[in-house]
Amino acid sequence: MERIEKAITSLQRMQGSGPESGLHPLCLFVITVAYLVAMLSVPVSAFTMLLWFALYPVVMAALTGLDFTRIFTGSLIALPFALLIGLFNPIYQTRTALRVGSLAISEGWISYLSIILRSMLSVQALLVLVSGKGFTGLCRSLESVGMPRLLSTQLLMVYRYLTVLLQEAVDMTRARRARGYGRRHLSMKMWGAFCGQLFLRTVARAEAVNRAMLARGFDGRMPRYQPVRQRWTLRDTLTLGASLACFALLRFVDISRIFTHLL
Amino acid sequence: MSHHYIQFTDVHYAYPNGYEALRGITFRVTHGEKVALLGMNGAGKSTVLLHTNGLLLPSKGEVNVGGIPVTKKTAPGVRRAVGMLFQNPDDQLFMPTVEEDVAFGPLNMGLEMAEVQRRVREALARTGAGGLEKRSPFQLSGGQKKSVAMATILSMEPEILVMDEPTAELDLAARNKVIDIISRYTHTCLIATHDLDLACGLCPRSILIDGGKVVADGPTEEVIARLKEMI
């Protein structure tokens, strides 16, 4: 149950506006997309080029006042999937890619590590984006780059529904434990009933929330409360320009090789 | 809307599962009146309230608010005039921050941002929730949630206030705050409650509902006496 409560806290943390990074949401969004494109397009064999991209989440977390440890911990969620995806690469790709002393490292291991790193960096970049501007901010950014408002409203609704779902799950788990007399796990049959009840309860809650929204004039569009309108500033332009230049440099120039030559 | 009255005329309502919640409800709450809606659990009080702003529409009969019959077409307009406080504040609060939640109604009314800001500030101050603007509604205590839920309604400056158990699950201090807000509200007010002290203190008139029908309507003391007889 603690895990569900932690999930609710994480969701709520992401829901707000997050720490004020000062950057325009659209700026942060474009930077993130550019980063993902640049990072994911690095050739699998160029592992050293990929390593430089790992600096981005650290730098952005520092610039936007986020806790990188939390970002890193959050990105571990992608690890099991990444581990599974590349599991057979070391077995099938056995050609030696490089040697460290007497140790031969195969192409399979390089591509495996590359997949893991790319997955984690992608999640970290998205977490920086969402934590920096909040889920609402993210949806607003998507709207400003042309995503239909209906779709962003849907996203916000799904997000709200997730919170409702988890809250109801906590309540039901508490009720079960109170009458479970120490039995820790549910049988398969009880799981079925539990999930069914959870669905019914969340639908009832969602209907109640919808009524409350209608009672306050909801017409299918989420209104935007922005007492101080955040404008695109010179800082945004400079940050965007510098970021794009950095990503281009990291993508097309093997900085590690230059350093090696210099040393 | 010239007169802030609520008129129910022979209103029937059955839920989709076939349960007949209202069976010919008729009453009128006139301009500026504070009326308590009393009754046992499942009597139909909440169903009545949901009819006042078109969240439910009668299967037979008519609900009229300020001279406008409540229909699917007129419901959005009626909702601008009727502010509804739900029993469970968790259902009422759905935006990321308190100030966004309080601003939700005024923004939907198409007000200017400066006016929305003024209303948000004033509503939060009136309900004693000033200082909670940037907090997430989910992280508030029960009393704070109720205060913010109240602010979400007051920010719309409704002509009619409809409340479902406004003092349920509140401690004494929070309850007194809610009572204070209602007592200072000068427009029409319809309150569904089990809190008989609140009904006695605030509402000169009460309506008693049982089995989806009005069984008593008159001075609160008399209606409460009737309710006690029923128990």
Side-chain angles (χ1 to χ4, degrees), chain A residues 12 15-16 136 160 163 167 205 208-209 211-219 221-227, chain B residues 50 53 55 79 86 90-96 99 101 103-105 107-108 113 116-117 138 152 156:
Chain A
Q12 285 167 359
Q15 197 170 26
T136 312
R160 173 75 178 112
T163 313
Q167 280 171 342
R205 276 288 304 279
V209 171
R211 274 181 187 159
M213 292 173 81
L214 289 173
R216 283 194 278 151
F218 179 65
D219 61 355
R221 294 191 309 167
M222 293 296 266
R224 193 181 298 193
Y225 182 61
Q226 252 185 333
Chain B
L50 291 171
N53 60 1
L55 291 171
R79 284 171 197 154
F86 288 77
D90 279 327
D91 295 341
Q92 185 135 10
L93 306 174
F94 44 79
M95 293 298 278
E99 64 177 358
D101 228 318
F104 186 84
L107 285 171
N108 281 328
M113 192 53 76
V116 174
Q117 272 183 282
F138 313 107
T152 64
M156 294 172 73

Side-chain angles (χ1 to χ4, degrees), chain A:
Chain A
M1 192 166 66
E2 274 179 8
R3 261 187 278 172
I4 306 176
E5 281 174 344
K6 274 183 186 170
I8 294 177
T9 312
S10 309
L11 268 178
Q12 285 167 359
R13 203 178 284 137
M14 288 192 334
Q15 197 170 26
S17 299
E20 207 42 66
S21 68
L23 288 176
H24 194 281
L26 184 60
C27 177
L28 195 55
F29 176 74
V30 175
I31 289 174
T32 308
V33 172
Y35 170 76
L36 290 173
V37 170
M39 187 263 292
L40 293 172
S41 64
V42 171
V44 178
S45 55
F47 189 71
T48 49
M49 280 174 80
L50 197 60
L51 285 174
W52 288 95
F53 280 94
L55 286 173
Y56 170 79
V58 183
V59 172
M60 284 310 279
L63 286 177
T64 53
L66 297 167
D67 181 5
F68 179 70
T69 317
R70 194 174 283 160
I71 299 286
F72 181 79
T73 315
S75 71
L76 291 176
I77 197 166
L79 197 55
F81 302 103
L83 287 172
L84 276 175
I85 288 168
L87 194 63
F88 297 105
N89 288 22
I91 300 168
Y92 292 114
Q93 298 175 349
T94 51
R95 208 169 65 180
T96 303
L98 65 112
R99 286 186 174 277
V100 181
S102 59
L103 181 71
I105 299 172
S106 70
E107 280 178 358
W109 277 110
I110 296 286
S111 63
Y112 190 31
L113 288 174
S114 173
I115 288 169
I116 293 168
L117 189 62
R118 278 169 214 264
S119 311
M120 289 187 67
L121 291 181
S122 302
V123 177
Q124 282 174 19
L126 290 175
L127 285 175
V128 166
L129 173 66
V130 176
S131 308
K133 287 295 168 191
F135 193 75
T136 312
L138 173 65
C139 289
R140 301 292 185 227
S141 308
L142 289 169
E143 267 177 33
S144 61
V145 290
M147 187 173 85
R149 203 163 181 182
L150 183 71
L151 200 57
S152 74
T153 303
Q154 286 292 322
L155 277 175
L156 288 168
M157 292 288 180
V158 169
Y159 198 63
R160 173 75 178 112
Y161 182 74
L162 274 179
T163 313
V164 169
L165 183 78
L166 291 171
Q167 280 171 342
E168 289 299 324
V170 168
D171 287 348
M172 285 181 70
T173 311
R174 276 200 187 121
R176 188 196 73 79
R177 282 208 174 164
R179 288 178 292 146
Y181 308 111
R183 218 169 82 175
R184 288 179 65 86
H185 301 291
L186 291 174
S187 64
M188 280 305 283
K189 194 178 165 190
M190 284 173 78
W191 263 113
F194 186 91
C195 292
Q197 279 300 314
L198 182 62
F199 173 71
L200 291 175
R201 283 172 65 128
T202 52
V203 167
R205 276 288 304 279
E207 275 178 3
V209 171
N210 184 245
R211 274 181 187 159
M213 292 173 81
L214 289 173
R216 283 194 278 151
F218 179 65
D219 61 355
R221 294 191 309 167
M222 293 296 266
R224 193 181 298 193
Y225 182 61
Q226 252 185 333
V228 184
R229 200 180 183 92
Q230 194 172 3
R231 294 183 186 283
W232 185 279
T233 61
L234 182 65
R235 190 188 165 200
D236 293 307
T237 311
L238 291 175
T239 311
L240 181 62
S243 303
L244 294 180
C246 277
F247 298 151
L249 182 76
L250 294 176
R251 172 63 186 84
F252 297 110
V253 181
D254 192 345
I255 301 174
S256 306
R257 193 162 288 173
I258 295 172
F259 272 109
T260 315
H261 280 299
L262 287 174
L263 292 171

